Amino acid sequence: EVQLVESGGGLVQPGGSLRLSCAASGFTFSSYAMSWVRQAPGKGLEWVSAISSSGGSTYYTDSVKGRFTISRDNSKNTLYLQMNSLRAEDTAVYYCAKSAGSNPFYEFDPWGQGTLVTVSS
Amino acid sequence: QPVLTQPTSLSASPGASARLTCTLRSGINLGSYRIFWYQQKPESPPRYLLGYYSDSNKHQGSGVPSRFSGSKDASSNAGILVISGLQSEDEADYYCMIWHSSAVVFGGGTKLTVL
């Protein structure tokens, strides 16, 4: 069974940093692209970033470019999201999701349970 | 104008069919995109339902009942999700998604009420 388990969320002050992790199991992690998607409280889904299976290609939504970095360690079956210069508007539940292929341009299936990031003073 | 526009809410009766739309912004060619659909229930992550490009190129998510189906309406430049034989458990938020210019775009979501 494919499982994605996010961790690393919490309360951080504006301007602070946080690193999210997503531990994957039940599939050959190194063969699939991965993404991060967030959902602010009571709001809709917003894609944040994606990374190819090798890690050689990365993609970001405009609002996080230069602040967030997606990466992966295929030896540890783990996806990461380094978040710097955090803002109040980054407050959301962050989900990791598996793509159906080695590049990200597919559906997201499945999704993890999510980890809550709260940016507040 | 957003890239993808979904009605905020929709109501339908048990046993009836619900037709959810996802309209692409004018100038964006529906025929060039695979439309993905997700279902999200309260306090749960989204669940992948299906992807639709054409009748010969579509994909149903694992375990997703066949009463969930996708299509396109070229006249309105919209992707369509039809849920037939509505059940109370279908009450949820539904999101459409496309890959556009190497980035993901989600629609704002439609809250489906079954009553």
Side-chain angles (χ1 to χ4, degrees):
Chain A
E1 177 194 5
V2 174
Q3 277 202 318
L4 301 170
V5 180
E6 301 94 337
S7 61
L11 175 63
V12 61
Q13 292 189 338
S17 297
L18 214 53
R19 188 177 84 155
L20 305 184
S21 299
C22 171
S25 61
F27 66 102
T28 305
F29 181 72
S30 60
S31 295
Y32 294 92
M34 299 290 294
S35 279
W36 288 98
V37 179
R38 66 186 179 184
Q39 187 169 34
K43 302 297 185 182
L45 301 174
E46 180 187 24
W47 173 76
V48 175
S49 181
I51 187 168
S52 63
S53 59
S54 67
S57 297
T58 57
Y59 310 84
Y60 298 92
T61 191
D62 286 346
S63 63
V64 309
K65 284 179 182 175
R67 300 189 300 124
F68 291 10
T69 302
I70 191 172
S71 63
R72 63 192 296 160
D73 186 336
N74 285 345
S75 68
K76 295 183 178 179
N77 290 347
T78 303
L79 174 72
Y80 302 101
L81 185 67
Q82 177 67 44
M83 303 186 295
N84 299 330
S85 303
L86 283 161
R87 307 166 180 167
E89 54 264 37
D90 295 317
T91 294
V93 173
Y94 285 72
Y95 297 101
C96 67
K98 170 184 169 289
S99 284
S102 59
N103 72 61
F105 310 122
Y106 294 94
E107 67 270 19
F108 298 151
D109 185 29
W111 300 53
Q113 288 297 313
T115 187
L116 176 62
V117 172
T118 303
V119 184
S120 174
S121 54
Chain B
Q1 185 183 9
V3 172
L4 298 177
T5 299
Q6 296 182 251
T8 304
S9 62
L10 181 68
S11 297
S13 301
S17 292
R19 184 176 185 269
L20 287 72
T21 61
C22 174
T23 303
L24 277 67
R25 184 174 64 200
S26 177
I28 299 178
N29 180 14
L30 175 69
S32 300
Y33 293 89
R34 182 183 301 269
I35 312 290
F36 301 105
W37 290 93
Y38 300 87
Q39 176 193 64
Q40 187 180 31
K41 296 182 179 180
E43 308 308 318
S44 294
R47 173 197 183 195
Y48 170 65
L49 294 177
L50 57 87
Y52 184 92
Y53 182 77
S54 66
D55 282 346
S56 59
N57 189 338
K58 57 186 178 180
H59 178 261
Q60 198 83 353
S62 176
V64 176
S66 59
R67 55 193 189 84
F68 290 83
S69 63
S71 65
K72 289 179 177 178
D73 181 354
S75 66
S76 60
N77 208 36
I80 309 292
L81 174 70
V82 173
I83 311 171
S84 58
L86 276 170
Q87 302 175 2
S88 58
E89 66 201 51
D90 298 329
E91 186 161 294
D93 294 328
Y94 291 85
Y95 295 91
C96 60
M97 177 191 115
I98 63 170
W99 276 95
H100 176 61
S101 300
S102 297
V104 168
V105 180
F106 284 102
T110 296
K111 182 176 183 62
L112 175 64
T113 301
V114 180
L115 43 65

